[in-house]
Amino acid sequence: MTTHLQIDPLLCNGCGRCEIACGHYRDEGYTVTSSSILLYRAEEKNNYFGLLYKTEDDLVAARPDGVQVRRQGEPVEDSSPGGKPILLRPPCDGCDPAPCARACMAGAIRVAEEA
Amino acid sequence: MYLYAEHILMVDLTAGTTNAGSFADDLVEEVIGGVALAERLLADYADRDPVVLATGPLTGTLTPGASLGVISRLGEDGVPLHSPLTLFMGSELKYSGFDAVVIVGESPSPVYLWLHDGIAALEDASQLWGLDTWQTSDAIKTAKGDEVIQVLAVGPAGEHGAPAAQLVANYWGTADAHGFGAALGAKNVKAVAMRGLGILDAEEAEDLFEHSLAMGEAVTSAGLPANVIQGLLGGAPDAAACEEWLAPAVHRSKGCFSCPCRCFTYVKYNEPAQEMASTDVAEPGCLLTDAEAVLALFRGGFSPEEAGRLFEGVARRGLHPMTAAARAVAAGTTTAADGLAAVDADPAATIAQEVTPGGPDERTRAGYVLGVCPAFLAASDSPGLEDLLEAVRLGTGMTLDAEGFSDVTAAVTGVLSPRVV
């Protein structure tokens, strides 16, 4: 069995707590640089926010108009040039219990299992 | 000390210098942070017209509501005036490497302060002077190549010294009711731009992590006010009608860093409100950041779309939304264009101060010291003060009991508002 995240971007309130919790799992500190999941906040002016996360093979973009899964290596036209790009971050290792899901107070992140 | 960025930045605008000093452990234990730290720094530099930005020990952590920073200055009578910094402003400041920033003197030419990776620089802002806040934020983000940079921007109102000039958070109004737009504008400071890629370590990392998540679970299991306007308007008899009036223009609501509340409502008026995709309409709407102003515009006969447009115009100018809304309504206007004309015709308008008899309650004061949003603490009985102090103890290793902390909050003499929206 492996675990993966199911994200409902419309429930997300944009607090970024998942990102900090994942970063804490990696680095035992509070930071936005080391998480496998991050709050997409590059389009603040049009209120377009959601979550991005990286698995071993894919980039998952859970944004208000839907969830897209792209194989890594495909061009990502909408990644912010600043900060630390998601491609340079560690992939989600399916940790259990997932701190991102535990930290989400909006019920936007759920851990699902698949065979 | 753990949980702190451990640095206080000194910015001398007259000399054009920035110097980071350590936030010494003995001072940490004396003032803890937030408004108590700000008041100490204001006193230390009182003869140089200081403006202070400060965070608390819990700012930027997983404590629910840990978004809060403050900006502070001395009023004409010497009483400290504090305005809350919410959204991602408080956390970004701390992650940029500074617990606090002291800005003194006056720059001979326009500058903006750029904070990142523990580094501070005064950048030339002569090309930004005269721009509105939206243009200013866009220009800084573009110049630095990072959309996520957080910008506290001064608008044209602040440049011209309007008493109601407030700082704008990226594009949106704030709860600054003390004219920090004018205070920074008078110093030739156009903006404070921050990007936080640092790390905050904790003394008992795992224990604090579990304690923080437990605080969050207690909040969500107890339940919060479902949404925004009604919860924020404190039982106004027409709050429900106001929410119903606004609904057709509402896109999504959002909250601040690490907070479960959704205090801010985004309305669209340049494309359908229900459009969820990112379209080629770059500026489809505006975030409503002042519930009292929303209610005033509703009562004054504005449509929700025109109310949104007025909010945008007010934010671009860098003005206090409620002051502008009151002026627009008093002038009998019901459109953004007419309302903004009335606002522009009265540049000397002052912000009606909200004064709470006896000062804010202990919970509000605690939030302002620790870096936890007072509006969240007012909306939720959980976490309790002892939970918050336990987070500080686990994070820092400090011995801090309720009695000692009470001494710190009791020493705070400045004007605080329990409202952040």
Side-chain angles (χ1 to χ4, degrees):
Chain A
M1 298 287 278
T2 59
T3 61
H4 68 278
L5 302 178
Q6 288 188 341
I7 299 171
D8 184 340
L10 292 180
L11 291 178
C12 173
N13 79 332
C15 80
R17 209 164 178 250
C18 54
E19 188 175 332
I20 303 295
C22 182
H24 191 277
Y25 169 73
R26 301 282 180 193
D27 282 343
E28 286 208 335
Y30 300 97
T31 179
V32 297
T33 59
S34 55
S35 60
S36 307
I37 187 167
L38 70 158
L39 174 64
Y40 181 73
R41 51 185 180 126
E43 293 185 66
E44 181 173 344
K45 207 196 282 182
N46 60 1
N47 203 38
Y48 188 68
F49 60 91
L51 299 173
L52 306 175
Y53 95 100
K54 179 182 178 181
T55 69
E56 285 289 347
D57 301 318
D58 299 323
L59 293 176
V60 180
R63 294 181 301 192
D65 45 341
V67 179
Q68 287 182 312
V69 180
R70 286 179 291 217
R71 303 296 287 185
Q72 286 183 38
E74 290 179 16
V76 181
E77 76 287 352
D78 45 12
S79 63
S80 171
K84 187 174 179 181
I86 194 164
L87 286 169
L88 298 179
R89 292 164 182 259
C92 174
D93 64 4
C95 68
D96 183 25
C100 57
R102 292 181 66 205
C104 179
M105 296 184 283
I109 304 173
R110 202 165 63 85
V111 177
E113 290 189 345
E114 61 185 15
Chain B
M1 188 174 294
Y2 286 125
L3 225 53
Y4 290 86
E6 301 186 290
H7 286 97
I8 294 174
L9 179 70
M10 180 70 195
V11 180
D12 186 329
L13 295 168
T14 307
T17 58
T18 62
N19 289 294
S22 66
F23 187 7
D25 286 0
D26 56 350
L27 181 58
V28 171
E29 291 181 8
E30 206 176 322
V31 299
I32 307 299
V35 290
L37 169 59
E39 292 193 3
R40 172 61 62 89
L41 295 169
L42 288 174
D44 288 348
Y45 297 96
D47 59 344
R48 298 208 61 197
D49 187 26
V51 171
V52 172
L53 295 92
T55 60
L58 298 180
T59 308
T61 69
L62 288 170
T63 296
S67 66
L68 195 76
V70 294
I71 184 164
S72 310
R73 65 184 179 89
L74 295 168
E76 288 180 6
D77 53 2
V79 173
L81 305 173
H82 304 289
S83 288
L85 302 174
T86 59
L87 290 167
F88 280 68
M89 295 295 156
S91 52
E92 204 76 42
L93 170 59
K94 195 167 172 186
Y95 282 130
S96 77
F98 304 102
D99 297 298
V101 178
V102 185
I103 303 171
V104 301
E106 181 181 339
S107 174
S109 62
V111 292
Y112 72 92
L113 181 60
W114 169 223
L115 309 174
H116 66 103
D117 303 305
I119 299 169
L122 288 168
E123 304 260 342
D124 175 37
S126 54
Q127 300 300 312
L128 304 178
W129 206 254
L131 299 184
D132 72 34
T133 61
W134 288 30
Q135 294 166 330
T136 301
S137 294
D138 283 342
I140 291 173
K141 289 166 188 260
T142 299
K144 298 300 180 189
D146 187 345
E147 303 263 7
V148 185
I149 288 169
Q150 299 298 295
V151 180
L152 287 167
V154 173
E159 294 177 13
H160 297 132
Q166 73 164 203
L167 274 182
V168 164
N170 290 330
Y171 310 103
W172 320 126
T174 61
D176 166 23
H178 299 300
F180 280 94
L184 288 180
K187 292 177 171 297
N188 262 330
V189 174
K190 181 64 175 170
V192 178
M194 304 169 284
R195 185 64 169 114
L197 300 175
I199 185 167
L200 305 171
D201 292 315
E203 172 86 12
E204 302 288 344
E206 273 310 307
D207 288 348
L208 176 60
F209 183 78
E210 290 299 328
H211 178 65
S212 302
L213 264 54
M215 285 193 282
E217 286 157 11
V219 171
T220 50
S221 62
L224 281 166
N227 203 338
V228 210
I229 305 295
Q230 290 188 52
L232 295 169
L233 291 175
D238 50 354
C242 179
E243 187 115 33
E244 192 177 328
W245 160 82
L246 190 64
V250 170
H251 176 240
R252 296 173 78 188
S253 59
K254 69 190 296 186
C256 301
F257 175 88
S258 195
C259 186
C261 297
R262 298 170 184 265
C263 290
F264 302 107
T265 300
Y266 189 92
V267 293
K268 285 189 174 181
Y269 38 81
N270 291 328
E271 69 179 13
Q274 292 72 32
E275 177 58 76
M276 285 295 155
S278 176
T279 71
D280 57 3
V281 179
E283 296 173 350
C286 188
L287 196 68
L288 306 182
T289 54
D290 185 330
E292 194 182 5
V294 174
L295 185 65
L297 295 169
F298 161 67
R299 289 173 176 169
F302 275 69
S303 70
E305 291 79 10
E306 287 302 305
R309 289 190 175 96
L310 185 103
F311 259 88
E312 177 185 331
V314 168
R316 283 182 180 274
R317 286 160 171 75
L319 280 167
H320 184 252
M322 182 56 206
T323 302
R327 182 74 195 92
V329 170
T333 68
T334 55
T335 66
D338 291 346
L340 290 167
V343 169
D344 290 339
D346 188 16
T350 56
I351 299 170
Q353 294 291 323
E354 179 182 336
V355 178
T356 307
D361 60 37
E362 180 66 17
R363 197 163 164 79
T364 296
R365 298 159 76 87
Y368 268 105
V369 171
L370 297 175
V372 182
C373 176
F376 161 70
L377 291 177
S380 175
D381 291 336
S382 175
L385 179 59
E386 189 49 43
D387 293 321
L388 297 174
L389 295 181
E390 176 68 3
V392 176
R393 287 191 289 264
L394 291 170
T396 65
M398 253 192 295
T399 305
L400 181 66
D401 59 19
E403 190 178 348
F405 184 67
S406 177
D407 291 343
V408 173
T409 58
V412 173
T413 59
V415 177
L416 303 176
S417 172
R419 286 192 49 196
V420 300
V421 182

